[in-house]
Amino acid sequence: MFFFFCLLSCKYKSLGNDEHAHTHTLTTEKADEDQVIPVNPFVIYLDTPGGKVSQEIHKSENQVVEVVFSSGTYHNVEAELFSGDDQANISFTRIFLPDSTSDGPFGHSITYDLPMEGNYRLVIAENKMAGEPWSGDFKIKIALE
Protein backbone atom coordinates (compact mmCIF):
# COMPACT_ATOMS: atom_id res chain seq x y z
CA MET A 1 0.00 0.00 0.00
CA PHE A 2 2.83 2.41 0.89
CA PHE A 3 4.46 1.71 -2.49
CA PHE A 4 1.19 2.59 -4.27
CA PHE A 5 1.01 6.04 -2.59
CA CYS A 6 4.66 6.73 -3.41
CA LEU A 7 4.01 5.86 -7.04
CA LEU A 8 1.01 8.20 -7.20
CA SER A 9 2.89 11.08 -5.61
CA CYS A 10 5.69 10.76 -8.17
CA LYS A 11 3.21 11.30 -11.01
CA TYR A 12 1.67 14.41 -9.45
CA LYS A 13 2.39 17.61 -11.36
CA SER A 14 1.93 20.94 -9.66
CA LEU A 15 -0.27 23.41 -11.55
CA GLY A 16 2.15 26.16 -10.60
CA ASN A 17 4.85 24.63 -12.81
CA ASP A 18 2.84 24.80 -16.05
CA GLU A 19 4.28 26.98 -18.77
CA HIS A 20 2.05 29.92 -19.69
CA ALA A 21 2.23 32.40 -22.55
CA HIS A 22 4.02 35.54 -21.53
CA THR A 23 2.16 38.81 -21.82
CA HIS A 24 3.13 42.44 -21.79
CA THR A 25 1.09 45.01 -19.93
CA LEU A 26 0.88 48.45 -21.45
CA THR A 27 -0.66 51.40 -19.73
CA THR A 28 -1.02 54.67 -21.58
CA GLU A 29 -1.50 57.91 -19.72
CA LYS A 30 -2.90 59.92 -22.65
CA ALA A 31 -5.15 58.70 -25.45
CA ASP A 32 -3.11 60.58 -28.08
CA GLU A 33 0.27 59.20 -26.96
CA ASP A 34 1.58 56.54 -29.36
CA GLN A 35 4.26 53.93 -28.79
CA VAL A 36 5.40 50.98 -30.87
CA ILE A 37 4.98 47.72 -29.01
CA PRO A 38 6.82 44.49 -29.83
CA VAL A 39 4.04 41.92 -30.06
CA ASN A 40 5.76 38.55 -29.86
CA PRO A 41 3.71 37.42 -26.86
CA PHE A 42 0.59 38.11 -28.99
CA VAL A 43 -1.43 39.63 -26.11
CA ILE A 44 -1.52 43.32 -25.23
CA TYR A 45 -3.38 44.72 -22.22
CA LEU A 46 -4.50 48.30 -22.78
CA ASP A 47 -5.58 50.71 -20.10
CA THR A 48 -8.24 53.08 -21.44
CA PRO A 49 -8.04 56.26 -19.35
CA GLY A 50 -10.99 58.49 -20.15
CA GLY A 51 -12.37 55.72 -22.36
CA LYS A 52 -9.93 56.29 -25.25
CA VAL A 53 -6.62 54.84 -26.36
CA SER A 54 -4.58 54.88 -29.55
CA GLN A 55 -1.71 52.46 -30.00
CA GLU A 56 0.72 51.56 -32.79
CA ILE A 57 1.53 47.86 -33.08
CA HIS A 58 3.93 45.80 -35.21
CA LYS A 59 2.55 42.49 -36.51
CA SER A 60 4.49 39.66 -38.14
CA GLU A 61 3.13 37.46 -40.93
CA ASN A 62 0.48 34.99 -39.71
CA GLN A 63 0.63 36.49 -36.22
CA VAL A 64 -2.59 36.86 -34.26
CA VAL A 65 -2.73 39.88 -31.97
CA GLU A 66 -5.13 40.05 -29.02
CA VAL A 67 -5.90 43.41 -27.46
CA VAL A 68 -7.47 43.13 -24.00
CA PHE A 69 -9.32 46.00 -22.36
CA SER A 70 -11.65 46.37 -19.39
CA SER A 71 -15.12 47.73 -20.03
CA GLY A 72 -15.36 49.37 -16.63
CA THR A 73 -18.71 51.15 -16.51
CA TYR A 74 -18.83 51.73 -20.30
CA HIS A 75 -21.54 50.08 -22.42
CA ASN A 76 -20.18 50.37 -25.99
CA VAL A 77 -16.85 50.04 -27.80
CA GLU A 78 -15.82 51.51 -31.12
CA ALA A 79 -12.47 50.36 -32.50
CA GLU A 80 -10.66 50.95 -35.80
CA LEU A 81 -7.51 49.64 -37.47
CA PHE A 82 -5.33 51.94 -39.59
CA SER A 83 -2.26 51.21 -41.68
CA GLY A 84 -0.20 53.25 -44.13
CA ASP A 85 0.08 50.10 -46.27
CA ASP A 86 -2.74 49.78 -48.83
CA GLN A 87 -2.10 46.02 -48.94
CA ALA A 88 -2.45 45.54 -45.17
CA ASN A 89 -4.47 42.37 -44.71
CA ILE A 90 -5.66 42.87 -41.12
CA SER A 91 -9.08 42.92 -39.52
CA PHE A 92 -10.95 42.30 -36.29
CA THR A 93 -11.67 38.59 -36.54
CA ARG A 94 -13.40 38.09 -33.16
CA ILE A 95 -14.41 39.74 -29.93
CA PHE A 96 -14.42 37.62 -26.77
CA LEU A 97 -16.71 38.70 -23.95
CA PRO A 98 -15.94 38.26 -20.23
CA ASP A 99 -18.16 35.13 -20.12
CA SER A 100 -15.99 33.52 -22.90
CA THR A 101 -18.66 33.85 -25.61
CA SER A 102 -17.50 35.43 -28.86
CA ASP A 103 -18.75 37.17 -31.96
CA GLY A 104 -17.29 38.00 -35.36
CA PRO A 105 -15.79 38.28 -37.88
CA PHE A 106 -15.70 42.04 -38.46
CA GLY A 107 -13.67 44.28 -40.75
CA HIS A 108 -11.30 47.19 -40.14
CA SER A 109 -13.76 48.67 -37.64
CA ILE A 110 -16.10 47.39 -34.99
CA THR A 111 -18.93 48.96 -32.98
CA TYR A 112 -20.13 46.59 -30.29
CA ASP A 113 -22.41 46.74 -27.25
CA LEU A 114 -20.71 45.67 -24.02
CA PRO A 115 -23.48 43.75 -22.20
CA MET A 116 -21.45 43.01 -19.06
CA GLU A 117 -18.58 44.46 -17.07
CA GLY A 118 -15.18 42.78 -17.38
CA ASN A 119 -12.26 42.12 -19.73
CA TYR A 120 -12.94 41.96 -23.47
CA ARG A 121 -10.50 40.62 -26.08
CA LEU A 122 -10.33 41.99 -29.61
CA VAL A 123 -8.60 39.52 -31.93
CA ILE A 124 -6.75 41.04 -34.89
CA ALA A 125 -5.48 38.77 -37.66
CA GLU A 126 -5.24 38.34 -41.39
CA ASN A 127 -8.30 37.43 -43.44
CA LYS A 128 -7.14 34.16 -44.99
CA MET A 129 -9.81 34.44 -47.71
CA ALA A 130 -8.88 38.02 -48.71
CA GLY A 131 -5.15 37.97 -49.30
CA GLU A 132 -1.64 36.93 -48.49
CA PRO A 133 0.02 36.93 -45.05
CA TRP A 134 0.96 40.46 -44.01
CA SER A 135 3.64 41.99 -41.81
CA GLY A 136 3.87 45.62 -40.81
CA ASP A 137 2.86 48.43 -38.51
CA PHE A 138 -0.72 49.39 -37.84
CA LYS A 139 -2.58 51.56 -35.37
CA ILE A 140 -5.59 50.63 -33.28
CA LYS A 141 -7.91 53.27 -31.84
CA ILE A 142 -10.40 52.28 -29.16
CA ALA A 143 -13.15 54.49 -27.75
CA LEU A 144 -15.45 53.33 -24.96
CA GLU A 145 -18.78 55.03 -24.40
PDB file of all heavy atoms in Angstrom, residues 30-46:
ATOM      1  N   LYS A  30      -2.117  59.019 -21.808  1.00  0.00           N
ATOM      2  CA  LYS A  30      -2.896  59.917 -22.652  1.00  0.00           C
ATOM      3  C   LYS A  30      -3.367  59.143 -23.862  1.00  0.00           C
ATOM      4  O   LYS A  30      -2.630  58.349 -24.430  1.00  0.00           O
ATOM      5  CB  LYS A  30      -2.047  61.098 -23.107  1.00  0.00           C
ATOM      6  CG  LYS A  30      -1.558  61.965 -21.971  1.00  0.00           C
ATOM      7  CD  LYS A  30      -0.709  63.084 -22.508  1.00  0.00           C
ATOM      8  CE  LYS A  30      -0.137  63.906 -21.372  1.00  0.00           C
ATOM      9  NZ  LYS A  30       0.782  64.926 -21.858  1.00  0.00           N
ATOM     10  N   ALA A  31      -4.585  59.403 -24.303  1.00  0.00           N
ATOM     11  CA  ALA A  31      -5.146  58.695 -25.449  1.00  0.00           C
ATOM     12  C   ALA A  31      -4.407  59.015 -26.736  1.00  0.00           C
ATOM     13  O   ALA A  31      -4.372  58.219 -27.643  1.00  0.00           O
ATOM     14  CB  ALA A  31      -6.628  59.024 -25.597  1.00  0.00           C
ATOM     15  N   ASP A  32      -3.783  60.203 -26.844  1.00  0.00           N
ATOM     16  CA  ASP A  32      -3.115  60.582 -28.078  1.00  0.00           C
ATOM     17  C   ASP A  32      -1.626  60.238 -28.073  1.00  0.00           C
ATOM     18  O   ASP A  32      -0.910  60.567 -28.995  1.00  0.00           O
ATOM     19  CB  ASP A  32      -3.307  62.064 -28.356  1.00  0.00           C
ATOM     20  CG  ASP A  32      -2.767  62.936 -27.242  1.00  0.00           C
ATOM     21  OD1 ASP A  32      -2.442  62.402 -26.165  1.00  0.00           O
ATOM     22  OD2 ASP A  32      -2.668  64.150 -27.448  1.00  0.00           O
ATOM     23  N   GLU A  33      -1.143  59.557 -27.050  1.00  0.00           N
ATOM     24  CA  GLU A  33       0.267  59.205 -26.964  1.00  0.00           C
ATOM     25  C   GLU A  33       0.483  57.845 -27.605  1.00  0.00           C
ATOM     26  O   GLU A  33      -0.144  56.864 -27.242  1.00  0.00           O
ATOM     27  CB  GLU A  33       0.687  59.158 -25.494  1.00  0.00           C
ATOM     28  CG  GLU A  33       2.158  58.895 -25.304  1.00  0.00           C
ATOM     29  CD  GLU A  33       2.527  58.989 -23.831  1.00  0.00           C
ATOM     30  OE1 GLU A  33       2.117  59.935 -23.162  1.00  0.00           O
ATOM     31  OE2 GLU A  33       3.191  58.056 -23.375  1.00  0.00           O
ATOM     32  N   ASP A  34       1.342  57.781 -28.621  1.00  0.00           N
ATOM     33  CA  ASP A  34       1.580  56.543 -29.358  1.00  0.00           C
ATOM     34  C   ASP A  34       2.940  55.962 -29.007  1.00  0.00           C
ATOM     35  O   ASP A  34       3.899  56.687 -28.805  1.00  0.00           O
ATOM     36  CB  ASP A  34       1.536  56.790 -30.860  1.00  0.00           C
ATOM     37  CG  ASP A  34       0.165  57.228 -31.326  1.00  0.00           C
ATOM     38  OD1 ASP A  34      -0.814  56.828 -30.687  1.00  0.00           O
ATOM     39  OD2 ASP A  34       0.084  57.965 -32.325  1.00  0.00           O
ATOM     40  N   GLN A  35       3.009  54.652 -28.969  1.00  0.00           N
ATOM     41  CA  GLN A  35       4.255  53.929 -28.786  1.00  0.00           C
ATOM     42  C   GLN A  35       4.206  52.709 -29.692  1.00  0.00           C
ATOM     43  O   GLN A  35       3.138  52.198 -29.991  1.00  0.00           O
ATOM     44  CB  GLN A  35       4.404  53.427 -27.351  1.00  0.00           C
ATOM     45  CG  GLN A  35       4.551  54.504 -26.318  1.00  0.00           C
ATOM     46  CD  GLN A  35       4.628  53.889 -24.939  1.00  0.00           C
ATOM     47  OE1 GLN A  35       3.803  53.043 -24.583  1.00  0.00           O
ATOM     48  NE2 GLN A  35       5.596  54.293 -24.166  1.00  0.00           N
ATOM     49  N   VAL A  36       5.345  52.228 -30.119  1.00  0.00           N
ATOM     50  CA  VAL A  36       5.401  50.981 -30.872  1.00  0.00           C
ATOM     51  C   VAL A  36       5.666  49.876 -29.873  1.00  0.00           C
ATOM     52  O   VAL A  36       6.559  49.966 -29.055  1.00  0.00           O
ATOM     53  CB  VAL A  36       6.511  51.016 -31.938  1.00  0.00           C
ATOM     54  CG1 VAL A  36       6.623  49.669 -32.638  1.00  0.00           C
ATOM     55  CG2 VAL A  36       6.234  52.123 -32.945  1.00  0.00           C
ATOM     56  N   ILE A  37       4.873  48.823 -29.954  1.00  0.00           N
ATOM     57  CA  ILE A  37       4.981  47.719 -29.009  1.00  0.00           C
ATOM     58  C   ILE A  37       5.452  46.472 -29.747  1.00  0.00           C
ATOM     59  O   ILE A  37       4.879  46.109 -30.754  1.00  0.00           O
ATOM     60  CB  ILE A  37       3.605  47.381 -28.400  1.00  0.00           C
ATOM     61  CG1 ILE A  37       2.986  48.612 -27.803  1.00  0.00           C
ATOM     62  CG2 ILE A  37       3.699  46.272 -27.396  1.00  0.00           C
ATOM     63  CD1 ILE A  37       1.566  48.395 -27.397  1.00  0.00           C
ATOM     64  N   PRO A  38       6.485  45.788 -29.254  1.00  0.00           N
ATOM     65  CA  PRO A  38       6.817  44.485 -29.834  1.00  0.00           C
ATOM     66  C   PRO A  38       5.753  43.481 -29.410  1.00  0.00           C
ATOM     67  O   PRO A  38       5.407  43.393 -28.247  1.00  0.00           O
ATOM     68  CB  PRO A  38       8.176  44.147 -29.205  1.00  0.00           C
ATOM     69  CG  PRO A  38       8.206  44.937 -27.948  1.00  0.00           C
ATOM     70  CD  PRO A  38       7.363  46.159 -28.173  1.00  0.00           C
ATOM     71  N   VAL A  39       5.198  42.748 -30.361  1.00  0.00           N
ATOM     72  CA  VAL A  39       4.037  41.915 -30.065  1.00  0.00           C
ATOM     73  C   VAL A  39       4.351  40.433 -30.219  1.00  0.00           C
ATOM     74  O   VAL A  39       3.572  39.695 -30.778  1.00  0.00           O
ATOM     75  CB  VAL A  39       2.850  42.310 -30.985  1.00  0.00           C
ATOM     76  CG1 VAL A  39       1.579  41.642 -30.527  1.00  0.00           C
ATOM     77  CG2 VAL A  39       2.644  43.800 -30.981  1.00  0.00           C
ATOM     78  N   ASN A  40       5.492  39.974 -29.774  1.00  0.00           N
ATOM     79  CA  ASN A  40       5.764  38.551 -29.861  1.00  0.00           C
ATOM     80  C   ASN A  40       4.946  37.716 -28.896  1.00  0.00           C
ATOM     81  O   ASN A  40       4.614  36.587 -29.215  1.00  0.00           O
ATOM     82  CB  ASN A  40       7.259  38.276 -29.705  1.00  0.00           C
ATOM     83  CG  ASN A  40       7.995  38.644 -30.970  1.00  0.00           C
ATOM     84  OD1 ASN A  40       7.410  38.658 -32.035  1.00  0.00           O
ATOM     85  ND2 ASN A  40       9.257  38.964 -30.853  1.00  0.00           N
ATOM     86  N   PRO A  41       4.567  38.232 -27.728  1.00  0.00           N
ATOM     87  CA  PRO A  41       3.712  37.425 -26.861  1.00  0.00           C
ATOM     88  C   PRO A  41       2.273  37.357 -27.355  1.00  0.00           C
ATOM     89  O   PRO A  41       1.488  36.621 -26.807  1.00  0.00           O
ATOM     90  CB  PRO A  41       3.764  38.153 -25.517  1.00  0.00           C
ATOM     91  CG  PRO A  41       4.924  39.055 -25.608  1.00  0.00           C
ATOM     92  CD  PRO A  41       5.098  39.383 -27.038  1.00  0.00           C
ATOM     93  N   PHE A  42       1.894  38.124 -28.353  1.00  0.00           N
ATOM     94  CA  PHE A  42       0.586  38.113 -28.995  1.00  0.00           C
ATOM     95  C   PHE A  42      -0.512  38.808 -28.203  1.00  0.00           C
ATOM     96  O   PHE A  42      -1.553  39.089 -28.744  1.00  0.00           O
ATOM     97  CB  PHE A  42       0.109  36.687 -29.313  1.00  0.00           C
ATOM     98  CG  PHE A  42       1.100  35.875 -30.067  1.00  0.00           C
ATOM     99  CD1 PHE A  42       1.717  34.799 -29.475  1.00  0.00           C
ATOM    100  CD2 PHE A  42       1.424  36.194 -31.368  1.00  0.00           C
ATOM    101  CE1 PHE A  42       2.637  34.046 -30.172  1.00  0.00           C
ATOM    102  CE2 PHE A  42       2.334  35.446 -32.082  1.00  0.00           C
ATOM    103  CZ  PHE A  42       2.946  34.370 -31.482  1.00  0.00           C
ATOM    104  N   VAL A  43      -0.366  39.049 -26.917  1.00  0.00           N
ATOM    105  CA  VAL A  43      -1.431  39.633 -26.113  1.00  0.00           C
ATOM    106  C   VAL A  43      -0.975  40.974 -25.557  1.00  0.00           C
ATOM    107  O   VAL A  43       0.102  41.077 -24.991  1.00  0.00           O
ATOM    108  CB  VAL A  43      -1.838  38.706 -24.942  1.00  0.00           C
ATOM    109  CG1 VAL A  43      -2.932  39.340 -24.099  1.00  0.00           C
ATOM    110  CG2 VAL A  43      -2.295  37.353 -25.465  1.00  0.00           C
ATOM    111  N   ILE A  44      -1.819  41.990 -25.731  1.00  0.00           N
ATOM    112  CA  ILE A  44      -1.522  43.321 -25.228  1.00  0.00           C
ATOM    113  C   ILE A  44      -2.680  43.751 -24.341  1.00  0.00           C
ATOM    114  O   ILE A  44      -3.846  43.675 -24.746  1.00  0.00           O
ATOM    115  CB  ILE A  44      -1.372  44.335 -26.379  1.00  0.00           C
ATOM    116  CG1 ILE A  44      -0.246  43.910 -27.303  1.00  0.00           C
ATOM    117  CG2 ILE A  44      -1.144  45.742 -25.830  1.00  0.00           C
ATOM    118  CD1 ILE A  44      -0.185  44.705 -28.574  1.00  0.00           C
ATOM    119  N   TYR A  45      -2.371  44.191 -23.134  1.00  0.00           N
ATOM    120  CA  TYR A  45      -3.380  44.718 -22.222  1.00  0.00           C
ATOM    121  C   TYR A  45      -3.333  46.240 -22.305  1.00  0.00           C
ATOM    122  O   TYR A  45      -2.283  46.826 -22.066  1.00  0.00           O
ATOM    123  CB  TYR A  45      -3.117  44.263 -20.784  1.00  0.00           C
ATOM    124  CG  TYR A  45      -3.360  42.798 -20.585  1.00  0.00           C
ATOM    125  CD1 TYR A  45      -2.361  41.873 -20.858  1.00  0.00           C
ATOM    126  CD2 TYR A  45      -4.590  42.339 -20.151  1.00  0.00           C
ATOM    127  CE1 TYR A  45      -2.584  40.524 -20.689  1.00  0.00           C
ATOM    128  CE2 TYR A  45      -4.815  40.988 -19.979  1.00  0.00           C
ATOM    129  CZ  TYR A  45      -3.812  40.080 -20.255  1.00  0.00           C
ATOM    130  OH  TYR A  45      -4.039  38.740 -20.091  1.00  0.00           O
ATOM    131  N   LEU A  46      -4.445  46.853 -22.659  1.00  0.00           N
ATOM    132  CA  LEU A  46      -4.499  48.301 -22.777  1.00  0.00           C
ATOM    133  C   LEU A  46      -5.350  48.897 -21.674  1.00  0.00           C
ATOM    134  O   LEU A  46      -6.463  48.436 -21.417  1.00  0.00           O
ATOM    135  CB  LEU A  46      -5.086  48.716 -24.130  1.00  0.00           C
ATOM    136  CG  LEU A  46      -4.234  48.443 -25.366  1.00  0.00           C
ATOM    137  CD1 LEU A  46      -4.968  48.907 -26.618  1.00  0.00           C
ATOM    138  CD2 LEU A  46      -2.891  49.141 -25.267  1.00  0.00           C
TER     139      LEU A  46
END
